Amino acid sequence: MAGDEKAKGKTEQAKGKLKEAAGRAVGNERLTTEGRAEQGKGDLRQAKEKAKDAFRR
């Protein structure tokens, strides 16, 4: 379960980076902003899982 959540976080971060880069390439500010938001969501998911791991030990 925890590995699955970590993978989701990494996927969100990667998709966000792609969206941000694509938005910058075509000059689409909305796409750039969506990419940043998706990266943030992935970062939060990663942080949550790291905190869970810290308490398990």
Side-chain angles (χ1 to χ4, degrees):
M1 180 81 171
D4 186 41
E5 289 296 313
K6 287 180 182 179
K8 284 182 185 179
K10 289 281 187 188
T11 302
E12 286 175 340
Q13 289 171 333
K15 283 175 33 181
K17 286 180 184 182
L18 286 172
K19 276 187 181 180
E20 184 178 4
R24 284 186 181 171
V26 298
N28 185 333
E29 189 60 37
R30 189 183 112 235
L31 190 58
T32 302
T33 303
E34 284 178 13
R36 285 188 196 137
E38 200 159 341
Q39 284 182 62
K41 217 169 114 177
D43 291 343
L44 287 174
R45 190 181 302 262
Q46 288 285 329
K48 179 181 84 172
E49 291 304 315
K50 284 183 182 179
K52 281 184 185 178
D53 287 344
F55 283 112
R56 289 182 188 155
R57 294 178 187 189

